[in-house]
Every structure is written in C-alpha cells, then in structure tokens.
Amino acid sequence: TDRKKLHTAPVGQVFRLRPFHLLVATGGGYAGYRKYEDYKLEQLEKKGVEVPVKLASDWEVALYKSVPTRLLSRAWGRLNQVELPTWLRKPIYSLYIWTFGVNMKEAAVEDLHHYRNLSEFFRRKLKPQARPVCCRHSVISPSDGKILNFGQVKNCEVEQVKGVTYSLESFLGPHICREELSFSQAPAGNSFQQQLVTKEGNELYHCVIYLAPGDYHCFHSPTDWRVSHRRHFPGSLMSVNPGVARWIKELFCHNERVVLTGDWKHGFFSLTAVGATNVGSIRIYFDQDLHTNSPSYSKGSYNDFSFISNNKEGIPMRKGEHLGEFNLGSTIVLIFEAPKDFKFHLKAGQKIRFGEALGSL
C-alpha cells in the first residue's frame, strides 16, 4: 500500500508514429544504406573492377525523395552562417581540410582564423596564379572537379555517368521561343536536339563535372559567350555523387538546377548548375533576382528570366570570368553546339581544375 502509483499510457499511444516521422526515419536510414553501398562501389572501381549498372526502382527513388533534404539543406545553410569563436575555427577547418583533402596553399588567405564561419571557408577565393586559364583551347573547365562524362548528345539523351542517361528536354525544359534569343537559328528540326542546333553541320556536345566537398566551390565562364536566358527549376536536393548518379536515372532532372542559356561563336551554349544535398544555395553573380531552395515552390515547375529584354545585348561573359558559386560541392553540366571536328581533351573519371582545357577545334 505504500508503493507509488505508476501511471501508464495505453500501448497504442506509446508506439504511435506519425507518417512524417516514419518517412523521415525510413528514408534517412535508406539514404545511409545507399551511402555505404556507394562507398563499396568506389572501392571496387579503384581496384579496376567494372561495376554493372543497377538502376533504382520507382519506389526506391520515392523513398529517397521522402527525406526532407530541402529543409535539411536550409538548416545547413543557417549553420554555415553562424560565426565561430576564434579559438574554434582552426580545429573545425583543419578537420574539414583533413577529411576532404583541401589544399589551403592555393587559397588567397591561408590563415584559418580569417574565415568567420563555414560559409566563408567554403567560398574561399584562390590566389590569382593558382588557376591559370588556358588560352590555346576554346573551352576550358569552369570549375575544379571530376569528369563524369562527355561526348556528343545522341537521340535527345545525355549521359550523366556511363550507361545512365537522362532526357535532354526534361533537363533543359521546353525550347525557348526564337524571339528571346539574339542569334539566328536554323530551321526547326523534328527533335528537341535538332531545334538547339543553329548551324548546319554542327553537333551537340555535353560535359558533366562533379564538384566534391573538398573542391574549390566557385565556377567560372568556360568560354567567351553571351547569356541571354535563365531558367530555374526548383526540385529535390538528392546527392549527386557518382555512386548516386549511377543509381538514379535522370537524377539531374529531379534536382534543383539553374540553366543559363545563350550563344557563343559556334551557336547554342548552355551551362547548368545542379544543386544537391546541403547545396540548396546556387548563386549567379550577375543575377540578383535568383533565389534557390525557397521554402515555397511548386513541384515540376520552373521560372524563366530573359536578359535580352532587360539588357539588349544579354550578359557578355569572358573565358575564365567569375560566374557563380555553390555552398558545397555539386555538379556543372555544359551542353553546347560546335562543328563536327570539335575534340575533347579528357578522360572519364579524371580530376580537372578550373582553367584547364576541356576541348577545342
């Protein structure tokens, strides 16, 4: 009789899980499992073992997309803005440098105490001589990174990695009307790919560059060209590392991205910055109206902005000029028109640095 009363809740209430929490827990656990699988595949590739392509099923993609990566990326962005105490900066940045192999000798400011928060450290500038821009080739790498794929676009499909493709039209969106483009176009062809080619005898080429977390996070103009149009696709923020790109078909079409379209001396030219987990922020220096990873967005939508209507000549960009930045690693996709004798000077899987040659005529 002297014992205290133990108040208990019904078993059904104790184990009640809300659908959102269940999705987060399940999706997060599965994403962790996929990370482990990706790591094993990378180790096999390093040993020279050819890994067969195994694409995710629709339910696996839906499960991955159930993880609130957009919310997590915004939270990560807020955390990056928090000013660190001076005494804590060197230990945190040193751990990051050791983990991802960052070369701080290339940084314009090598003193780690100079960077007030993680965001400043991620967006660090390089010494002017650290990345000489190749003058002998017509197209250079816009960023540091790893070459995932390159070559001619065939049958309106683009390879994100070897053996895994995505639709050119789904990636770029509907064709921009002729009135918004400042250069002459050839008669429209039957396919979306043919409509992009403006000069007879030219071909459409692509190149995919993956930026790892330890890479230099700014990107630059890959050639002399003129930007006439911007298209922003809100979307998911799934990881874009090579393992996931090999697993999810049309991964780049699912993710948030900013497509810059214009022309260079050989016709159509585009550069697309693809967002990823913890990379909700994509910044284009000359576009102050662009706001990525917004809390309110419509699934499957996109918004356009024309630089021709606001600036008669569009936005001229010089080869090597600063163009934009990510908050962490992500992906750059180039799709452009060039004569048939255009040659890439690349190997799939190679590391490349901003300023080095991609290809030339």
Side-chain angles (χ1 to χ4, degrees):
T1 57
D2 293 333
R3 292 179 181 175
K4 294 180 179 179
K5 292 182 178 180
L6 178 63
H7 297 278
T8 60
V11 175
Q13 292 182 12
V14 174
F15 292 98
R16 184 179 297 166
L17 289 174
R18 296 180 179 178
F20 175 75
H21 296 160
L22 182 61
L23 283 173
V24 171
T26 307
Y30 193 75
Y33 166 74
R34 287 307 314 174
K35 285 284 187 181
Y36 174 68
E37 289 294 311
D38 295 340
Y39 171 77
K40 291 198 300 183
L41 289 176
E42 288 178 5
Q43 296 305 308
L44 290 174
E45 285 186 340
K46 288 180 180 179
K47 295 178 182 178
V49 178
E50 187 172 346
V51 181
V53 174
K54 183 181 179 182
L55 294 177
S57 61
D58 291 341
W59 72 264
E60 287 178 308
V61 176
L63 186 59
Y64 190 3
K65 293 175 75 172
S66 71
V67 181
T69 51
R70 295 180 64 85
L71 178 61
L72 292 173
S73 296
R74 285 195 293 273
W76 177 254
R78 297 279 182 88
L79 180 62
N80 285 351
Q81 299 294 333
V82 175
E83 185 169 344
L84 297 173
T86 305
W87 61 270
L88 192 58
R89 295 174 187 175
K90 188 171 182 179
I92 289 181
Y93 299 148
S94 296
L95 177 62
Y96 186 91
I97 291 168
W98 178 78
T99 303
F100 296 108
V102 179
N103 184 3
M104 284 303 292
K105 291 183 179 180
E106 297 177 335
V109 180
E110 296 184 38
D111 182 12
L112 298 180
H113 296 101
H114 169 80
Y115 303 100
R116 295 173 298 175
N117 52 48
L118 286 166
S119 182
E120 286 188 2
F121 179 71
F122 293 148
R123 295 181 288 106
R124 64 192 177 277
K125 303 301 181 183
L126 298 180
K127 294 174 181 175
Q129 66 275 20
R131 296 290 187 275
V133 175
C134 179
C135 299
R136 295 183 294 108
H137 298 278
S138 54
V139 184
I140 62 169
S141 176
S143 65
D144 289 5
K146 178 182 180 181
I147 301 295
L148 294 189
N149 218 303
F150 63 92
Q152 283 190 19
V153 177
K154 297 180 181 179
N155 302 320
C156 296
E157 292 282 323
V158 185
E159 281 194 314
Q160 58 190 30
V161 293
K162 184 178 180 181
V164 182
T165 63
Y166 55 92
S167 164
L168 180 65
E169 185 171 5
S170 297
F171 182 70
L172 295 178
H175 189 58
I176 303 167
C177 61
R178 295 171 183 272
E179 289 74 15
E180 292 189 41
L181 297 176
S182 57
F183 55 96
S184 60
Q185 294 188 332
N190 296 325
S191 70
F192 182 82
Q193 179 178 336
Q194 291 172 329
Q195 292 177 35
L196 295 180
V197 177
T198 66
K199 299 179 181 179
E200 188 175 351
N202 280 0
E203 298 288 346
L204 206 61
Y205 297 86
H206 78 280
C207 183
V208 183
I209 305 170
Y210 167 69
L211 288 73
D215 288 327
Y216 168 57
H217 298 324
C218 296
F219 51 92
H220 302 246
S221 176
T223 191
D224 295 334
W225 66 306
R226 177 175 45 184
V227 183
S228 57
H229 188 271
R230 180 258 291 162
R231 176 169 285 163
H232 172 217
F233 290 86
S236 301
L237 288 173
M238 295 184 283
S239 172
V240 293
N241 73 55
V244 178
R246 187 186 296 107
W247 179 54
I248 297 180
K249 183 178 174 61
E250 299 204 332
L251 171 65
F252 298 157
C253 298
H254 289 295
N255 273 15
E256 181 158 14
R257 59 198 182 278
V258 176
V259 182
L260 299 179
T261 304
D263 64 294
W264 70 318
K265 60 183 178 181
H266 299 295
F268 174 82
F269 198 96
S270 73
L271 179 149
T272 302
V274 183
T277 308
N278 296 334
V279 199
S281 174
I282 301 172
R283 183 183 173 194
I284 304 297
Y285 294 139
F286 58 74
D287 190 354
Q288 301 303 315
D289 295 323
L290 175 66
H291 300 286
T292 57
N293 196 13
S294 172
S296 58
Y297 78 102
S298 300
K299 185 177 180 181
S301 67
Y302 62 87
N303 55 77
D304 288 337
F305 185 85
S306 174
F307 297 108
I308 297 296
S309 59
N310 292 274
N311 184 333
K312 294 289 186 180
E313 300 298 323
I315 307 295
M317 298 296 302
R318 304 294 296 174
K319 184 166 65 174
E321 186 178 352
H322 281 272
L323 182 54
E325 63 187 35
F326 295 110
N327 266 354
L328 205 62
S330 195
T331 299
I332 295 286
V333 179
L334 301 180
I335 298 175
F336 58 93
E337 171 187 2
K340 292 182 178 180
D341 57 349
F342 181 86
K343 300 294 182 183
F344 283 103
H345 306 291
L346 303 171
K347 293 181 180 179
Q350 79 171 71
K351 292 288 290 182
I352 197 165
R353 303 201 304 175
F354 156 61
E356 294 179 346
L358 285 185
S360 61
L361 296 170

